[in-house]
Amino acid sequence: MNNLKDRVTIYQVAQAAGVSLATVSRVINKKGNVTEETRERVESTIARLGYKPSGLAQALATNKTTNIGVVIPSANYVYISNMLNGITDVAKEKGLTLTLFTTSHSREEALNAMERVISSHVDGAIVFDDELDAEDVDKIASYNVPIIVVNNRVTGDRVGCIPFSYTEALTELIKGYHKNIAAHQMTFLHVHNCGRLLAKCEKTFIKTHEEIGKAYSVINCDDSYTRTYNDFREYFKKKPEGFFIAYRDSIAAAVENAAIDSGLRVPEDVEVMSLVGTKYAAIVRPTLTSMHVDMLEVGKRAMYMLIELMNYELVDKVSHFDAELVTRNSTLHK
């Protein structure tokens, strides 16, 4: 691994030749419009510095197999599967090979996955980052592996990102609900070790309620439909009302079904919404109010960004996706 760090990089070639990274890439691949004078200067610089191309840019240009590492928490989550489908669609289109690395909402496992990505010599990587910090991502980037980070804002010479924003939509929901209805106290369902996204939403939930001076509660919840359903059958015996914000559709559905099976009305007695909405929000009855991010499009965007990054052509290294509130029949809020 240390040898990779000691190699002359394409950045050094571009700087020494006084040209852009894209120009060096075009010279290496013998494609694109480059003047003879510029070509000779770049080739002379390459020879003088002893630069050895990694083969990544040439592989993309000549349709040779390029291996992309994909790090995700778990393919069992529908929203992650949707993102993976988007990644796969573009990979098929471009003739790229994917290697999948999975974790399970553990920073230690995420770090181990990153180590496997590095040792597998992938040509680029897409990381759904719900546990890693900037230093962890920098580690893989230091080995000159182009990387697109999803669900975090971190950039670098070989790093781009797709951050999500739930803050504005959640804040607007809370303020609007208390202003227009304020029928139920809101409760946030805290799931232990469920990553950065849920933690950020919980902080927004608490901060917003404290700012507007409204009562709220946070209760622990298992990331399991069955256990959540059973827990809320007991919960509703003591407190048969409330507005509950759940992490995923399956958890929200467990609360909703527990309420209905307890003889309560949704949304008149119990209101429920999910933060990470999927197709199941429109399938359950009553349909679930949820936050929506088009994860299929996220996957596609990540792949296209990575391809441009590998070719030294990515201009905007940050691509935002804002969550949209989709109101359905499980809440009174419209």
Side-chain angles (χ1 to χ4, degrees):
M1 287 300 176
N2 289 333
N3 290 334
L4 287 174
K5 292 184 176 182
D6 293 334
R7 289 176 180 172
V8 175
T9 69
I10 194 171
Y11 294 95
Q12 292 170 302
V13 173
Q15 185 177 23
V19 298
S20 67
L21 295 174
T23 297
V24 177
S25 180
R26 286 195 290 270
V27 171
I28 293 171
N29 294 318
K30 295 180 170 54
K31 286 194 172 186
N33 297 323
V34 180
T35 66
E36 189 61 29
E37 178 185 355
T38 300
R39 184 181 302 278
E40 290 178 358
R41 184 164 75 253
V42 172
E43 289 177 345
S44 175
T45 303
I46 288 174
R48 176 168 56 85
L49 296 180
Y51 172 67
K52 301 295 183 183
S54 66
L56 190 151
Q58 295 99 313
L60 287 173
T62 59
N63 292 323
K64 293 181 181 178
T65 299
T66 299
N67 188 23
I68 305 300
V70 181
V71 181
I72 57 175
S74 171
N76 291 330
Y77 295 114
V78 174
Y79 68 102
I80 295 294
S81 296
N82 290 342
M83 183 185 74
L84 192 57
N85 286 337
I87 292 172
T88 302
D89 287 347
V90 178
K92 289 179 180 178
E93 173 192 333
K94 300 297 183 181
L96 307 177
T97 299
L98 300 179
T99 300
L100 194 61
F101 303 85
T102 60
T103 65
S104 60
H105 288 304
S106 160
R107 185 170 182 271
E108 182 178 355
E109 285 195 21
L111 288 172
N112 289 337
M114 297 294 272
E115 290 286 351
R116 296 197 301 274
V117 169
I118 293 170
S119 62
S120 65
H121 301 291
V122 296
D123 300 308
I126 296 172
V127 178
F128 187 93
D129 172 22
D130 212 23
E131 297 292 341
L132 304 172
D133 57 31
E135 291 183 1
D136 300 327
V137 178
D138 284 344
K139 182 176 182 179
I140 188 174
S142 72
Y143 289 89
N144 202 31
V145 177
I147 179 173
I148 298 297
V149 180
V150 179
N151 191 37
N152 197 1
R153 186 185 179 99
V154 53
T155 59
D157 289 339
R158 304 294 279 149
V159 182
C161 65
I162 300 179
F164 299 148
S165 177
Y166 281 72
T167 302
E168 292 184 4
L170 183 57
T171 299
E172 183 179 346
L173 164 71
I174 295 169
K175 289 182 176 180
Y177 177 79
H178 285 296
K179 179 179 179 181
N180 297 321
I181 304 175
H184 299 120
Q185 177 176 297
M186 283 188 164
T187 297
F188 192 94
L189 304 187
H190 171 87
V191 178
H192 184 59
N193 282 340
C194 232
R196 177 184 293 108
L197 177 59
L198 185 63
K200 187 178 293 184
C201 288
E202 183 174 335
K203 288 181 181 178
T204 298
F205 173 86
I206 294 172
K207 179 182 178 182
T208 304
H209 275 87
E210 290 179 347
E211 286 179 349
I212 62 178
K214 295 293 183 179
Y216 66 91
S217 63
V218 176
I219 62 176
N220 292 325
C221 172
D222 282 315
D223 192 16
S224 160
Y225 173 90
T226 301
R227 288 194 293 271
T228 300
Y229 173 84
N230 291 332
D231 288 345
F232 270 88
R233 284 302 304 269
E234 294 300 316
Y235 178 94
F236 288 133
K237 291 178 181 179
K238 300 177 181 178
K239 192 174 181 181
E241 63 177 2
F243 188 123
F244 301 90
I245 299 180
Y247 178 31
R248 298 185 291 113
D249 289 343
S250 61
I251 304 303
V255 177
E256 182 178 75
N257 289 342
I260 293 172
D261 291 346
S262 298
L264 304 176
R265 300 170 300 164
V266 176
E268 291 82 2
D269 301 320
V270 173
E271 299 180 72
V272 189
M273 67 163 288
S274 65
L275 290 170
V276 181
T278 66
K279 62 183 180 181
Y280 295 112
I283 294 176
V284 299
R285 293 292 181 270
T287 55
L288 283 169
T289 292
S290 65
M291 299 286 192
H292 177 72
V293 171
D294 189 342
M295 294 300 289
L296 181 70
E297 182 60 30
V298 168
K300 291 181 178 180
R301 182 81 57 84
M303 274 299 303
Y304 284 127
M305 288 176 66
L306 181 60
I307 290 170
E308 291 184 0
L309 185 62
M310 290 191 296
N311 277 324
Y312 300 94
E313 296 173 351
L314 183 61
V315 177
D316 189 353
K317 293 183 177 179
V318 182
S319 181
H320 290 274
F321 275 77
D322 294 326
E324 174 190 3
L325 176 66
V326 181
T327 56
R328 297 188 178 92
N329 296 329
S330 64
T331 60
L332 296 170
H333 180 84
K334 302 296 182 183

